[in-house]
Amino acid sequence: MRKIIVAGIGPGAPSDITPAVTEALGQADVVVGYKYYFQFVKPYVSDHCQCVDTGMKRERERAEQAFLMAEGGKTVVVISSGDAGIYGMAPLLYEMKQQRRQDSMTDDSHSDTVTATADDIEIEVLPGISAFQKAASLLGAPIGHDLCLISLSDLMTPWSIIERRIQAAAMGDFVTAVYNPKSNGRYWQLYRLQELFLRQRSADTPVGFVRQAGRDDQELTLTTLGDLDPEAVDMFTVVLIGNSQTYVADGKMITPRGYYRDSQQEGTIGQNIMIESFRTIAGELRHHDYPLGHKWALLHAIHTTADFDMENILYTDPLAVEHIYNKVKDGTLRTIVTDVTMAASGIRKGALQRLGIEVKCYLSDPRVAQMTAQSLTRTQAGIRLAAEEHPDALYVFGNAPTALMELCDLIRRGKAHPAGIIAAPVGFVHVCESKHMVKPFRDIPKIIVEGRKGGSNLAATLTNAILTFDDAEQLKPGRDL
């Protein structure tokens, strides 16, 4: 049986060529390949071996040469960089074998003088270390979870198909290795990939790229999806884009498999469920480049309501979550006032105890009953009492627009200056107006659920987002459950 061995020679370093490949090269009568790659295999080729090299983009000619030599009784090794089955020569050799078989069945000129046909040729594929594997090992451990490979070369694949694959990879949260990212004629495709990924992934997503992996002029770069400069990439580069869990530590890019996620280090079962829920929500957001404080509040809001419309209606002043949290940390904020008891009951007791914060709701205060005779609602009266005793508290509204309107009036009259306001009353009467009324107070950090939506549960969870902001960076909610 004549044989063509298709051998992946790895990315270039002698240490990355497998023993099986070096043995095959030593036994070959003919080695066929792109001329640039012969420098990597010459030490393993015997003196009697014939080397047939061709230029770039001559893959079909190489395959035809291999078949002609094999049909003549030669043992042929076709070399392919990296792994021969990944954007390499192996698929072409199998396709050509099928085509030559069909041609031989219809070719009337085929004669008995031919010593062998395609059916007489055995094809064996020897795997090699792929460029993306080599690049990954140099960068750390970025391919520790589900991944995909995408080539940006549109020589044989229409760009419309490539773009659909890019979108699917980005939406699926796959770690993505990008081959053929750029060439002299292919200058814009990586820009487009970056644009598509930024619609689905955070700009902070780690990205690593390696030029000439395993070769003498090897170069490594760690950056982020937002800061990736396509002009720093060329045709000898492999780009690796992390998923939503990928991080950089000690200069290494790491994608966790999840071994620690279920351990006691992660927390209780309830916390683990909440963490997984937050990661799911983060992956399904339409936009991923929100400031951290806004994103943390948004994740809490969607987790509580299962309503992705929160992405449209949740408003936060710039750094509102951060500013209010800093007041908690430095001890200047020690009281939270809610409009109704239901909002108070949803604020995590563990967080309050850990941070030394008291929650007060004046709705049941005996003085409220006396004040309602003055044409005030009970919640208005409660807020008026709260402002007298805690003018600098964090004020949280999840039910009563009249209470929020009362606070706005008190602020304008200089009788209150809250550390922050969470405005999430719900309903149909005065709700939208109350939220508009609170916006002009620009020196007070605010979180507002715009429109008619809101509720005590939503107000409470937004408060919890503030109290647990130190968990936002690691996306680890729920430690105070």
Short mmCIF file of all heavy atoms in Angstrom, two decimals, residues 40-96:
data_model
loop_
_atom_site.label_atom_id
_atom_site.label_comp_id
_atom_site.label_asym_id
_atom_site.label_seq_id
_atom_site.Cartn_x
_atom_site.Cartn_y
_atom_site.Cartn_z
N PHE A 40 12.51 23.95 9.24
CA PHE A 40 12.18 23.33 10.52
C PHE A 40 12.31 21.81 10.49
O PHE A 40 12.37 21.18 11.55
CB PHE A 40 10.75 23.71 10.93
CG PHE A 40 10.50 25.19 10.98
CD1 PHE A 40 9.50 25.78 10.21
CD2 PHE A 40 11.27 26.01 11.79
CE1 PHE A 40 9.28 27.13 10.25
CE2 PHE A 40 11.06 27.38 11.84
CZ PHE A 40 10.06 27.96 11.06
N VAL A 41 12.35 21.22 9.28
CA VAL A 41 12.34 19.75 9.21
C VAL A 41 13.63 19.16 8.64
O VAL A 41 13.85 17.94 8.73
CB VAL A 41 11.13 19.25 8.37
CG1 VAL A 41 9.83 19.74 8.98
CG2 VAL A 41 11.25 19.68 6.91
N LYS A 42 14.49 19.97 8.09
CA LYS A 42 15.69 19.43 7.45
C LYS A 42 16.56 18.57 8.36
O LYS A 42 17.14 17.58 7.91
CB LYS A 42 16.52 20.57 6.84
CG LYS A 42 15.96 21.05 5.50
CD LYS A 42 16.89 22.03 4.81
CE LYS A 42 16.34 22.38 3.42
NZ LYS A 42 17.21 23.35 2.72
N PRO A 43 16.67 18.87 9.65
CA PRO A 43 17.49 18.01 10.51
C PRO A 43 16.98 16.57 10.61
O PRO A 43 17.75 15.68 11.01
CB PRO A 43 17.42 18.71 11.88
CG PRO A 43 17.10 20.13 11.57
CD PRO A 43 16.20 20.07 10.38
N TYR A 44 15.73 16.33 10.25
CA TYR A 44 15.14 15.00 10.44
C TYR A 44 15.02 14.22 9.13
O TYR A 44 14.60 13.06 9.13
CB TYR A 44 13.76 15.14 11.09
CG TYR A 44 13.75 16.08 12.27
CD1 TYR A 44 13.16 17.34 12.15
CD2 TYR A 44 14.35 15.73 13.47
CE1 TYR A 44 13.17 18.23 13.23
CE2 TYR A 44 14.37 16.61 14.55
CZ TYR A 44 13.78 17.86 14.42
OH TYR A 44 13.79 18.72 15.48
N VAL A 45 15.37 14.86 8.01
CA VAL A 45 15.20 14.23 6.70
C VAL A 45 16.49 13.51 6.31
O VAL A 45 17.59 14.02 6.50
CB VAL A 45 14.84 15.31 5.65
CG1 VAL A 45 14.79 14.70 4.26
CG2 VAL A 45 13.50 15.96 6.01
N SER A 46 16.34 12.31 5.74
CA SER A 46 17.52 11.52 5.33
C SER A 46 18.17 12.13 4.09
O SER A 46 17.56 12.92 3.37
CB SER A 46 17.10 10.08 5.04
OG SER A 46 16.24 10.03 3.91
N ASP A 47 19.42 11.71 3.82
CA ASP A 47 20.17 12.27 2.70
C ASP A 47 19.54 11.92 1.35
O ASP A 47 19.65 12.69 0.39
CB ASP A 47 21.61 11.76 2.73
CG ASP A 47 22.37 12.29 3.94
OD1 ASP A 47 21.95 13.35 4.48
OD2 ASP A 47 23.36 11.65 4.35
N HIS A 48 18.89 10.73 1.28
CA HIS A 48 18.34 10.31 -0.01
C HIS A 48 16.95 10.90 -0.26
O HIS A 48 16.38 10.72 -1.33
CB HIS A 48 18.25 8.78 -0.08
CG HIS A 48 17.18 8.21 0.80
ND1 HIS A 48 17.41 7.85 2.11
CD2 HIS A 48 15.87 7.95 0.55
CE1 HIS A 48 16.29 7.38 2.64
NE2 HIS A 48 15.33 7.43 1.71
N CYS A 49 16.39 11.61 0.71
CA CYS A 49 15.02 12.12 0.59
C CYS A 49 14.98 13.29 -0.39
O CYS A 49 15.83 14.18 -0.37
CB CYS A 49 14.50 12.55 1.95
SG CYS A 49 12.83 13.19 1.92
N GLN A 50 13.96 13.28 -1.25
CA GLN A 50 13.75 14.38 -2.19
C GLN A 50 12.81 15.40 -1.55
O GLN A 50 11.75 15.05 -1.03
CB GLN A 50 13.12 13.85 -3.48
CG GLN A 50 12.83 14.94 -4.51
CD GLN A 50 12.14 14.39 -5.75
OE1 GLN A 50 11.92 13.16 -5.87
NE2 GLN A 50 11.79 15.26 -6.69
N CYS A 51 13.20 16.65 -1.58
CA CYS A 51 12.37 17.72 -1.01
C CYS A 51 11.71 18.51 -2.14
O CYS A 51 12.41 19.04 -3.02
CB CYS A 51 13.20 18.66 -0.15
SG CYS A 51 13.88 17.86 1.33
N VAL A 52 10.39 18.54 -2.13
CA VAL A 52 9.62 19.25 -3.16
C VAL A 52 8.95 20.43 -2.47
O VAL A 52 7.99 20.26 -1.71
CB VAL A 52 8.58 18.34 -3.82
CG1 VAL A 52 7.78 19.12 -4.86
CG2 VAL A 52 9.24 17.11 -4.43
N ASP A 53 9.47 21.62 -2.71
CA ASP A 53 8.90 22.79 -2.04
C ASP A 53 8.21 23.68 -3.05
O ASP A 53 8.58 23.77 -4.20
CB ASP A 53 9.96 23.56 -1.26
CG ASP A 53 11.12 24.02 -2.14
OD1 ASP A 53 11.07 23.75 -3.35
OD2 ASP A 53 12.05 24.63 -1.61
N THR A 54 7.15 24.34 -2.57
CA THR A 54 6.38 25.25 -3.42
C THR A 54 6.16 26.54 -2.65
O THR A 54 6.37 26.62 -1.44
CB THR A 54 5.01 24.65 -3.79
OG1 THR A 54 4.25 24.46 -2.58
CG2 THR A 54 5.16 23.32 -4.50
N GLY A 55 5.69 27.54 -3.36
CA GLY A 55 5.44 28.83 -2.73
C GLY A 55 4.09 28.87 -2.02
O GLY A 55 3.34 27.90 -1.96
N MET A 56 3.81 30.04 -1.47
CA MET A 56 2.56 30.25 -0.75
C MET A 56 1.37 30.14 -1.71
O MET A 56 1.49 30.44 -2.89
CB MET A 56 2.58 31.62 -0.07
CG MET A 56 1.41 31.87 0.88
SD MET A 56 1.52 33.50 1.68
CE MET A 56 2.93 33.23 2.74
N LYS A 57 0.24 29.68 -1.20
CA LYS A 57 -1.02 29.53 -1.94
C LYS A 57 -0.91 28.50 -3.06
O LYS A 57 -1.65 28.57 -4.05
CB LYS A 57 -1.48 30.88 -2.51
CG LYS A 57 -1.73 31.95 -1.45
CD LYS A 57 -2.18 33.26 -2.06
CE LYS A 57 -2.36 34.34 -1.00
NZ LYS A 57 -2.76 35.64 -1.58
N ARG A 58 -0.02 27.53 -2.89
CA ARG A 58 0.12 26.48 -3.90
C ARG A 58 -0.28 25.12 -3.30
O ARG A 58 0.32 24.09 -3.60
CB ARG A 58 1.59 26.43 -4.38
CG ARG A 58 2.10 27.72 -4.98
CD ARG A 58 1.49 28.00 -6.34
NE ARG A 58 1.85 26.98 -7.29
CZ ARG A 58 2.99 26.97 -7.99
NH1 ARG A 58 3.88 27.93 -7.80
NH2 ARG A 58 3.23 26.00 -8.84
N GLU A 59 -1.30 25.15 -2.46
CA GLU A 59 -1.68 23.93 -1.74
C GLU A 59 -2.12 22.81 -2.69
O GLU A 59 -1.75 21.64 -2.50
CB GLU A 59 -2.79 24.23 -0.73
CG GLU A 59 -2.37 25.07 0.47
CD GLU A 59 -2.42 26.57 0.18
OE1 GLU A 59 -2.72 26.94 -0.98
OE2 GLU A 59 -2.14 27.36 1.10
N ARG A 60 -2.90 23.14 -3.69
CA ARG A 60 -3.38 22.10 -4.62
C ARG A 60 -2.21 21.46 -5.37
O ARG A 60 -2.17 20.24 -5.56
CB ARG A 60 -4.38 22.69 -5.61
CG ARG A 60 -5.76 22.97 -4.99
CD ARG A 60 -6.68 23.60 -6.03
NE ARG A 60 -6.92 22.68 -7.14
CZ ARG A 60 -7.97 21.85 -7.21
NH1 ARG A 60 -8.85 21.82 -6.23
NH2 ARG A 60 -8.13 21.06 -8.26
N GLU A 61 -1.25 22.30 -5.79
CA GLU A 61 -0.10 21.76 -6.50
C GLU A 61 0.69 20.82 -5.60
O GLU A 61 1.17 19.77 -6.04
CB GLU A 61 0.80 22.90 -6.99
CG GLU A 61 0.20 23.72 -8.13
CD GLU A 61 -0.70 24.84 -7.65
OE1 GLU A 61 -1.13 24.80 -6.47
OE2 GLU A 61 -0.98 25.75 -8.46
N ARG A 62 0.82 21.19 -4.31
CA ARG A 62 1.53 20.31 -3.37
C ARG A 62 0.83 18.97 -3.24
O ARG A 62 1.46 17.91 -3.24
CB ARG A 62 1.61 20.98 -1.99
CG ARG A 62 2.77 21.94 -1.83
CD ARG A 62 2.72 22.61 -0.48
NE ARG A 62 2.58 24.06 -0.64
CZ ARG A 62 2.01 24.87 0.21
NH1 ARG A 62 1.50 24.38 1.33
NH2 ARG A 62 1.94 26.15 -0.02
N ALA A 63 -0.48 19.02 -3.10
CA ALA A 63 -1.24 17.78 -2.96
C ALA A 63 -1.12 16.91 -4.21
O ALA A 63 -0.95 15.68 -4.13
CB ALA A 63 -2.70 18.11 -2.67
N GLU A 64 -1.19 17.52 -5.38
CA GLU A 64 -1.07 16.76 -6.63
C GLU A 64 0.31 16.13 -6.74
O GLU A 64 0.45 14.96 -7.16
CB GLU A 64 -1.34 17.69 -7.81
CG GLU A 64 -2.81 18.07 -7.95
CD GLU A 64 -3.04 19.19 -8.95
OE1 GLU A 64 -2.02 19.76 -9.43
OE2 GLU A 64 -4.21 19.52 -9.23
N GLN A 65 1.35 16.88 -6.36
CA GLN A 65 2.71 16.33 -6.36
C GLN A 65 2.80 15.12 -5.44
O GLN A 65 3.42 14.10 -5.76
CB GLN A 65 3.70 17.40 -5.89
CG GLN A 65 3.98 18.50 -6.90
CD GLN A 65 5.11 18.10 -7.87
OE1 GLN A 65 5.55 16.95 -7.90
NE2 GLN A 65 5.55 19.05 -8.67
N ALA A 66 2.17 15.24 -4.27
CA ALA A 66 2.21 14.14 -3.31
C ALA A 66 1.58 12.89 -3.89
O ALA A 66 2.12 11.77 -3.75
CB ALA A 66 1.51 14.55 -2.01
N PHE A 67 0.44 13.02 -4.55
CA PHE A 67 -0.23 11.86 -5.13
C PHE A 67 0.59 11.25 -6.27
O PHE A 67 0.71 10.02 -6.40
CB PHE A 67 -1.64 12.23 -5.62
CG PHE A 67 -2.68 12.08 -4.55
CD1 PHE A 67 -3.14 13.19 -3.86
CD2 PHE A 67 -3.19 10.84 -4.21
CE1 PHE A 67 -4.09 13.06 -2.87
CE2 PHE A 67 -4.14 10.69 -3.23
CZ PHE A 67 -4.60 11.81 -2.53
N LEU A 68 1.16 12.10 -7.11
CA LEU A 68 1.97 11.58 -8.21
C LEU A 68 3.16 10.78 -7.69
O LEU A 68 3.47 9.69 -8.19
CB LEU A 68 2.46 12.73 -9.09
CG LEU A 68 1.39 13.43 -9.95
CD1 LEU A 68 1.98 14.65 -10.63
CD2 LEU A 68 0.83 12.44 -11.00
N MET A 69 3.82 11.28 -6.66
CA MET A 69 4.97 10.59 -6.08
C MET A 69 4.52 9.28 -5.41
O MET A 69 5.18 8.24 -5.53
CB MET A 69 5.66 11.49 -5.05
CG MET A 69 6.26 12.76 -5.62
SD MET A 69 7.75 12.43 -6.59
CE MET A 69 8.32 14.11 -6.91
N ALA A 70 3.41 9.34 -4.67
CA ALA A 70 2.93 8.14 -3.99
C ALA A 70 2.47 7.08 -4.98
O ALA A 70 2.72 5.88 -4.78
CB ALA A 70 1.80 8.51 -3.03
N GLU A 71 1.81 7.51 -6.03
CA GLU A 71 1.36 6.55 -7.05
C GLU A 71 2.55 5.91 -7.76
O GLU A 71 2.45 4.80 -8.30
CB GLU A 71 0.45 7.26 -8.05
CG GLU A 71 -0.92 7.61 -7.46
CD GLU A 71 -1.71 8.56 -8.34
OE1 GLU A 71 -1.15 9.03 -9.37
OE2 GLU A 71 -2.86 8.87 -7.99
N GLY A 72 3.68 6.59 -7.72
CA GLY A 72 4.90 6.02 -8.30
C GLY A 72 5.67 5.14 -7.33
O GLY A 72 6.78 4.71 -7.63
N GLY A 73 5.09 4.91 -6.16
CA GLY A 73 5.70 3.98 -5.21
C GLY A 73 6.51 4.63 -4.12
O GLY A 73 7.16 3.93 -3.33
N LYS A 74 6.48 5.93 -4.02
CA LYS A 74 7.26 6.63 -3.01
C LYS A 74 6.47 6.76 -1.70
O LYS A 74 5.24 6.86 -1.70
CB LYS A 74 7.63 8.04 -3.49
CG LYS A 74 8.36 8.10 -4.82
CD LYS A 74 9.80 7.66 -4.67
CE LYS A 74 10.58 7.92 -5.97
NZ LYS A 74 11.99 7.48 -5.85
N THR A 75 7.21 6.78 -0.58
CA THR A 75 6.60 7.14 0.70
C THR A 75 6.72 8.64 0.84
O THR A 75 7.83 9.18 0.89
CB THR A 75 7.31 6.44 1.87
OG1 THR A 75 7.14 5.03 1.73
CG2 THR A 75 6.72 6.89 3.21
N VAL A 76 5.58 9.31 0.89
CA VAL A 76 5.55 10.77 0.82
C VAL A 76 5.08 11.33 2.15
O VAL A 76 4.10 10.86 2.74
CB VAL A 76 4.61 11.24 -0.30
CG1 VAL A 76 4.59 12.77 -0.38
CG2 VAL A 76 5.04 10.64 -1.64
N VAL A 77 5.78 12.36 2.62
CA VAL A 77 5.34 13.11 3.79
C VAL A 77 5.01 14.53 3.33
O VAL A 77 5.86 15.21 2.75
CB VAL A 77 6.41 13.15 4.90
CG1 VAL A 77 5.96 14.09 6.03
CG2 VAL A 77 6.67 11.76 5.44
N VAL A 78 3.78 14.93 3.57
CA VAL A 78 3.36 16.30 3.29
C VAL A 78 3.38 17.06 4.62
O VAL A 78 2.71 16.67 5.57
CB VAL A 78 1.95 16.35 2.68
CG1 VAL A 78 1.52 17.81 2.46
CG2 VAL A 78 1.90 15.58 1.38
N ILE A 79 4.19 18.11 4.69
CA ILE A 79 4.30 18.84 5.95
C ILE A 79 3.35 20.03 5.96
O ILE A 79 3.09 20.65 4.93
CB ILE A 79 5.75 19.30 6.22
CG1 ILE A 79 6.27 20.18 5.07
CG2 ILE A 79 6.65 18.11 6.46
CD1 ILE A 79 7.64 20.80 5.36
N SER A 80 2.83 20.30 7.15
CA SER A 80 1.90 21.39 7.34
C SER A 80 2.21 22.00 8.70
O SER A 80 2.42 21.27 9.68
CB SER A 80 0.46 20.87 7.30
OG SER A 80 -0.49 21.90 7.26
N SER A 81 2.27 23.32 8.79
CA SER A 81 2.62 23.93 10.07
C SER A 81 1.50 23.71 11.08
O SER A 81 0.35 23.49 10.74
CB SER A 81 2.87 25.43 9.91
OG SER A 81 1.67 26.10 9.59
N GLY A 82 1.88 23.76 12.36
CA GLY A 82 0.88 23.54 13.40
C GLY A 82 0.36 22.13 13.34
O GLY A 82 1.10 21.15 13.25
N ASP A 83 -0.97 21.99 13.38
CA ASP A 83 -1.63 20.70 13.20
C ASP A 83 -2.15 20.63 11.78
O ASP A 83 -2.83 21.56 11.31
CB ASP A 83 -2.78 20.56 14.20
CG ASP A 83 -3.48 19.22 14.07
OD1 ASP A 83 -4.39 19.12 13.22
OD2 ASP A 83 -3.10 18.29 14.79
N ALA A 84 -1.87 19.52 11.10
CA ALA A 84 -2.22 19.40 9.68
C ALA A 84 -3.71 19.41 9.43
O ALA A 84 -4.16 19.65 8.31
CB ALA A 84 -1.60 18.13 9.11
N GLY A 85 -4.50 19.14 10.48
CA GLY A 85 -5.95 19.11 10.30
C GLY A 85 -6.63 20.42 10.60
O GLY A 85 -7.83 20.55 10.38
N ILE A 86 -5.90 21.40 11.12
CA ILE A 86 -6.48 22.70 11.47
C ILE A 86 -5.96 23.73 10.47
O ILE A 86 -4.80 24.15 10.54
CB ILE A 86 -6.11 23.11 12.90
CG1 ILE A 86 -6.63 22.06 13.90
CG2 ILE A 86 -6.69 24.48 13.24
CD1 ILE A 86 -6.24 22.33 15.34
N TYR A 87 -6.81 24.12 9.53
CA TYR A 87 -6.43 25.03 8.45
C TYR A 87 -5.17 24.51 7.75
O TYR A 87 -4.34 25.30 7.28
CB TYR A 87 -6.19 26.45 8.96
CG TYR A 87 -7.35 27.02 9.73
CD1 TYR A 87 -7.20 27.50 11.02
CD2 TYR A 87 -8.62 27.09 9.15
CE1 TYR A 87 -8.27 28.03 11.73
CE2 TYR A 87 -9.68 27.62 9.85
CZ TYR A 87 -9.51 28.08 11.14
OH TYR A 87 -10.57 28.61 11.83
N GLY A 88 -5.01 23.19 7.69
CA GLY A 88 -3.81 22.60 7.12
C GLY A 88 -4.10 21.76 5.89
O GLY A 88 -5.16 21.87 5.26
N MET A 89 -3.16 20.89 5.56
CA MET A 89 -3.22 20.14 4.31
C MET A 89 -4.08 18.88 4.38
O MET A 89 -4.47 18.34 3.34
CB MET A 89 -1.79 19.75 3.88
CG MET A 89 -0.94 20.91 3.42
SD MET A 89 -1.52 21.61 1.85
CE MET A 89 -1.17 20.26 0.72
N ALA A 90 -4.37 18.39 5.57
CA ALA A 90 -5.05 17.10 5.67
C ALA A 90 -6.40 17.07 4.96
O ALA A 90 -6.68 16.13 4.19
CB ALA A 90 -5.20 16.71 7.14
N PRO A 91 -7.30 18.04 5.18
CA PRO A 91 -8.59 17.97 4.47
C PRO A 91 -8.42 17.96 2.96
O PRO A 91 -9.15 17.24 2.25
CB PRO A 91 -9.32 19.22 4.95
CG PRO A 91 -8.67 19.59 6.24
CD PRO A 91 -7.24 19.20 6.08
N LEU A 92 -7.48 18.76 2.44
CA LEU A 92 -7.27 18.82 0.99
C LEU A 92 -6.83 17.48 0.44
O LEU A 92 -7.30 17.04 -0.62
CB LEU A 92 -6.24 19.90 0.68
CG LEU A 92 -5.80 20.00 -0.79
CD1 LEU A 92 -6.98 20.22 -1.71
CD2 LEU A 92 -4.76 21.11 -0.95
N LEU A 93 -5.94 16.76 1.15
CA LEU A 93 -5.48 15.46 0.67
C LEU A 93 -6.65 14.47 0.59
O LEU A 93 -6.78 13.71 -0.39
CB LEU A 93 -4.39 14.92 1.58
CG LEU A 93 -2.92 15.22 1.21
CD1 LEU A 93 -2.54 14.58 -0.12
CD2 LEU A 93 -2.63 16.71 1.18
N TYR A 94 -7.51 14.47 1.59
CA TYR A 94 -8.67 13.57 1.55
C TYR A 94 -9.64 13.95 0.43
O TYR A 94 -10.18 13.09 -0.27
CB TYR A 94 -9.39 13.59 2.89
CG TYR A 94 -8.74 12.72 3.94
CD1 TYR A 94 -8.09 13.29 5.04
CD2 TYR A 94 -8.77 11.33 3.84
CE1 TYR A 94 -7.48 12.50 6.00
CE2 TYR A 94 -8.15 10.53 4.81
CZ TYR A 94 -7.52 11.12 5.88
OH TYR A 94 -6.92 10.32 6.83
N GLU A 95 -9.86 15.25 0.24
CA GLU A 95 -10.74 15.69 -0.84
C GLU A 95 -10.17 15.31 -2.20
O GLU A 95 -10.89 14.84 -3.10
CB GLU A 95 -10.91 17.21 -0.77
CG GLU A 95 -11.81 17.71 0.34
CD GLU A 95 -11.98 19.21 0.25
OE1 GLU A 95 -11.05 19.95 0.65
OE2 GLU A 95 -13.04 19.66 -0.22
N MET A 96 -8.86 15.48 -2.33
CA MET A 96 -8.24 15.17 -3.61
C MET A 96 -8.28 13.68 -3.90
O MET A 96 -8.45 13.26 -5.06
CB MET A 96 -6.79 15.69 -3.65
CG MET A 96 -6.13 15.55 -5.00
SD MET A 96 -4.60 16.51 -5.14
CE MET A 96 -5.23 18.17 -5.27
#
